[in-house]
Amino acid sequence: MNDAKYKNMHLPCISCSSSDALSEYMNGSAYCFKCEFRWSPAEYKKARQGEEDIEPSFKPKADKLPKPKDGEISAIGSRCLTLPTVKKFNVKVVKDEHGDDIKHYYPYYNGETEEAIKVRDVVSKRNNGSNSFHWAGKASKVGFFGKQLFEQGQRFVTLFEGEIDALSGYQMLNSGDTNYAVLGVKSSSDAKKTVRDNLEYIYSFDNVVLCFDMDEAGRKATDEVAKLLKTGKTKIVSLPLGFKDANEMLMAGQQKAFKDAWYNAKTYTPAGLVSVSDEKKRYLERPSKLSVPFPWQGLNEKLEGLRQGEVVVLTAGTGLGKSAVCRELQHHLLKSTTDSIGIVMLEESYERTIDGLVSIEANEQLFKDSIRDTYAAESLGAWHDTLFEGANKNRVWVYEHFGDNNLESIAERVKFMAAGSECKWIFIDHIHMISAAGGDNETAEINKIMHKFRDLCEELNICIVTVSHLRRLDGNKGHENGAEVNLSHLRGSHVIAQIADSVIALERNQQAADEVEARTTKIRILKNRYSGEVGVAGHILYDPHTGRLEECDDSDLEFNSKESLI
């Protein structure tokens, strides 16, 4: 075949159920190698644009319908289908000299007129051949298999994927004098179009039951069709585990189990809607949401600890200790849990990150060369081993970014930390560095970042602690002078506050004349989705000798600025 003359190949056909038999030529015309319909460029363009009743200029002759002598109505033993069932749907079977099925002829009607026949090559299908089905007649003019048998307005109609499953479903549902309406769609890919083209007929039934295959294509078709139908009137059959379709259950002798599944079909609800009445067990048996305490009691009284699945935002003015608080939390998690942690510190080097953690372990400011150089390598190594070797080996993972602050790159590393290294706590300092690498519109970029953080937390069941800067305030008193922080001060986007589970603000007058006041940070909770408790959560005092942050009571403070402590 000369592929050069084709613009596109293996496309779904507009007229028949083929998913890949249509080819579009370079001149804009199209031809289906299955139903043999041909469209001119103008016809194909209109058909692709969804215009109704566009007929191809060339169609196969209607006399290609197989003659009655080509087959006879008989039971299909290989599929456990009885003679009454096959006769009901007027299906004809061609057998070889040994009595084995060769072909099935499934008739499709337009009203009372037989318009097309879907031919099943049983031998080819059995051998996994690519040409197991083909159409004869006007396939584009027909809809449901079996539609001519059932008057509209009945209590139930059940839709199946394919003719064999429709026959199987009818046989299992109907016994004695019952006659539940059963219809088949040509294929899962054709289901939405068939239902849409026959909505008036389908809407006439009180209830529509969907029983498509339990595979990915069947589930997709179920969702697409359910969205077209009346709310509260659509039910979805869920077959027992291990069964893909209705015929598998019939062949396994599971007629009763199938009818039970049919009677217990759940009313369709759009994705995201849950009936609380159906979820009592989920409410009572949900897994415990463990909280890890903060190193400072004031935060625990408000937030009741850190939890996986949450986004925690830490914010403060420039130079007020956001990174220092992150390091205290990282060290605390290392010492108080057995969990692994991931660290993404975008404003500092790998060495500064590790220096910060080892400094806390040593209670010394080892991040300063002048102090670190006073210790022998053995002492530094011992502190390093305490944090990162033995029981703590491979518990801390740091993203050495080399300036790569792209959101997708960071998200990829976070996924590896969580899935590949079992990190439960991820620290990202700070979101504005990611935004700066992503584009000129900071608000739009921050929106993307926060939504990505939320997705990662829920997908991976991790806690992300991230840092946000504050916008500059008007007036003489800024955040670096102890101005009170509120949510509107978060820089760049209100989405930061909306998506975060908790927002922790640090307030300190770093320019205060009183030396103790300049080292004292007030912790304020601006948002708390977990318990709702907000407001001041205590104070922490920076020790200039050790570099540590220690919680303190008001009575411990030597400066007399009660107004700033409330």
Side-chain angles (χ1 to χ4, degrees):
M1 180 182 294
N2 181 11
D3 293 350
K5 65 181 180 180
Y6 296 105
K7 182 178 180 180
N8 290 297
M9 301 174 65
H10 305 297
L11 301 172
C13 180
I14 300 168
S15 290
C16 71
S17 62
S18 172
S19 61
D20 62 357
L22 186 76
S23 292
E24 181 183 1
Y25 293 87
M26 295 301 294
N27 66 358
S29 64
Y31 176 74
C32 178
F33 288 86
K34 189 168 187 178
C35 66
E36 301 180 5
F37 280 22
R38 187 186 300 276
W39 289 263
S40 69
E43 291 166 347
Y44 185 59
K45 181 179 180 181
K46 291 180 180 179
R48 284 191 296 113
Q49 292 172 346
E51 295 190 24
E52 300 293 335
D53 301 323
I54 300 300
E55 289 288 337
S57 55
F58 175 82
K59 298 176 286 184
K61 294 179 181 180
D63 63 6
K64 286 196 173 185
L65 284 175
K67 305 300 181 183
K69 65 180 182 180
D70 292 333
E72 60 181 18
I73 296 175
S74 67
I76 304 177
S78 61
R79 294 290 186 152
C80 296
L81 295 169
T82 63
L83 177 59
T85 298
V86 177
K87 185 176 181 180
K88 172 80 173 179
F89 288 80
N90 198 31
V91 174
K92 293 182 174 63
V93 181
V94 178
K95 299 178 181 291
D96 63 16
E97 64 273 17
H98 303 292
D100 296 325
D101 296 357
I102 299 176
K103 293 181 180 180
H104 297 163
Y105 293 152
Y106 307 117
Y108 278 74
Y109 290 76
N110 187 358
E112 297 298 322
T113 304
E114 186 176 322
E115 291 278 8
I117 291 178
K118 186 176 180 181
V119 182
R120 181 190 190 101
D121 187 327
V122 178
V123 177
S124 178
K125 180 68 174 177
R126 189 183 302 130
N127 296 327
N128 297 316
S130 59
N131 297 313
S132 302
F133 297 97
H134 70 272
W135 284 88
K138 302 175 182 178
S140 63
K141 290 290 187 180
V142 297
F144 291 111
F145 173 69
K147 181 181 176 183
Q148 79 282 1
L149 300 174
F150 306 103
E151 294 183 0
Q152 60 185 18
Q154 299 183 43
R155 187 179 177 191
F156 290 100
V157 63
T158 305
L159 306 188
F160 290 88
E161 183 182 330
E163 299 79 15
I164 288 291
D165 284 334
L167 295 167
S168 302
Y170 179 84
Q171 183 170 306
M172 289 189 286
L173 288 175
N174 292 287
S175 58
D177 57 356
T178 61
N179 188 37
Y180 286 121
V182 164
L183 303 173
V185 297
K186 301 170 189 173
S187 65
S188 60
S189 61
D190 190 72
K192 180 180 178 181
K193 180 180 184 301
T194 300
V195 172
R196 188 180 60 218
D197 291 346
N198 293 271
L199 274 181
E200 183 177 354
Y201 173 72
I202 290 296
Y203 277 0
S204 73
F205 292 87
D206 293 341
N207 298 276
V208 181
V209 184
L210 303 182
C211 189
F212 295 155
D213 289 359
M214 298 292 107
D215 56 13
E216 183 177 351
R219 286 190 290 269
K220 179 182 178 183
T222 297
D223 188 60
E224 290 177 342
V225 169
K227 291 176 181 177
L228 298 174
L229 303 177
K230 292 180 179 179
T231 303
K233 300 295 184 181
T234 306
K235 300 181 182 297
I236 312 296
V237 174
S238 180
L239 299 181
L241 187 65
F243 292 101
K244 173 177 170 286
D245 54 42
N247 185 249
E248 283 191 1
M249 296 199 70
L250 175 64
M251 294 178 66
Q254 296 294 317
Q255 291 91 329
K256 183 180 183 303
F258 175 81
K259 292 182 76 170
D260 289 343
W262 187 84
Y263 281 115
N264 293 321
K266 295 292 184 68
T267 299
Y268 169 78
T269 54
L273 293 181
V274 178
S275 171
V276 178
S277 301
D278 295 334
E279 300 295 334
K280 182 178 179 180
K281 182 177 180 181
R282 173 181 170 185
Y283 173 75
L284 295 175
E285 298 180 4
R286 58 185 161 175
S288 300
K289 197 169 188 178
L290 300 178
S291 296
V292 174
F294 286 94
W296 306 301
Q297 188 57 30
L299 277 176
N300 291 322
E301 291 175 359
K302 295 285 187 184
L303 297 175
E304 299 188 29
L306 286 163
R307 285 164 293 277
Q308 292 167 235
E310 294 187 353
V311 178
V312 178
V313 172
L314 183 66
T315 189
T318 301
L320 295 187
K322 300 182 292 297
S323 298
V325 169
C326 283
R327 280 189 273 272
E328 289 282 358
L329 293 177
Q330 293 159 12
H331 183 268
H332 174 71
L333 289 168
L334 271 176
K335 303 296 282 188
S336 63
T337 76
T338 58
D339 300 335
S340 297
I341 65 174
I343 302 175
V344 182
M345 305 291 274
L346 298 175
E347 282 192 316
E348 64 186 33
S349 66
Y350 166 84
E351 288 76 16
R352 178 63 183 89
T353 298
I354 303 307
D355 275 343
L357 288 171
V358 176
S359 294
I360 294 174
E361 179 64 24
N363 277 316
E364 290 282 2
Q365 295 182 329
L366 299 177
F367 53 87
K368 295 181 179 179
D369 291 347
S370 59
I371 295 179
R372 188 175 62 255
D373 290 346
T374 63
Y375 287 93
E378 290 77 7
S379 297
L380 297 174
W383 286 319
H384 189 283
D385 289 348
T386 299
L387 286 180
F388 309 121
E389 297 296 336
N392 290 336
K393 190 174 182 64
N394 294 327
R395 283 186 60 202
V396 180
W397 293 80
V398 177
Y399 175 38
E400 195 167 11
H401 52 88
F402 298 112
D404 182 5
N405 298 346
N406 178 269
L407 174 60
E408 291 307 317
S409 295
I410 291 173
E412 183 181 335
R413 271 62 175 190
V414 169
K415 284 186 176 182
F416 175 82
M417 289 176 175
S421 304
E422 299 184 342
C423 295
K424 293 181 171 60
W425 315 94
I426 308 291
F427 292 80
I428 303 177
D429 183 3
H430 57 86
I431 61 175
H432 301 283
M433 285 290 289
I434 307 171
S435 173
D440 296 329
N441 187 334
E442 185 179 46
T443 298
E445 290 302 310
I446 288 176
N447 291 349
K448 294 178 186 176
I449 293 165
M450 291 302 297
H451 281 98
K452 176 64 76 172
F453 286 179
R454 166 58 63 203
D455 291 344
L456 290 170
C457 282
E458 294 182 359
E459 175 189 350
L460 303 170
N461 192 31
I462 59 175
C463 174
I464 291 181
V465 180
T466 190
V467 171
S468 172
H469 284 187
L470 297 170
R471 62 177 175 83
R472 295 288 181 184
L473 298 181
D474 296 330
N476 296 326
K477 187 175 182 180
H479 296 111
E480 293 75 24
N481 300 104
E484 183 176 316
V485 181
N486 63 56
L487 290 175
S488 68
H489 296 172
L490 292 168
R491 179 181 134 191
S493 174
H494 63 278
V495 170
I496 298 174
Q498 288 180 344
I499 288 183
D501 291 279
S502 58
V503 179
I504 303 171
L506 308 177
E507 300 169 357
R508 176 163 62 91
N509 182 4
Q510 63 178 203
Q511 302 300 319
D514 187 290
E515 184 260 346
V516 175
E517 181 180 359
R519 293 190 285 109
T520 302
T521 297
K522 181 189 300 182
I523 303 177
R524 185 183 300 276
I525 308 303
L526 302 180
K527 181 180 179 182
N528 180 358
R529 183 174 282 135
Y530 183 73
S531 69
E533 293 284 337
V534 295
V536 176
H539 301 79
I540 49 178
L541 181 66
Y542 175 74
D543 187 331
H545 302 292
T546 65
R548 298 295 305 276
L549 296 171
E550 300 290 346
E551 190 169 24
C552 56
D553 295 327
D554 291 359
S555 57
D556 295 332
L557 304 177
E558 298 178 3
F559 58 96
N560 189 24
S561 300
K562 282 292 182 182
E563 183 178 353
S564 67
L565 300 177
I566 299 174

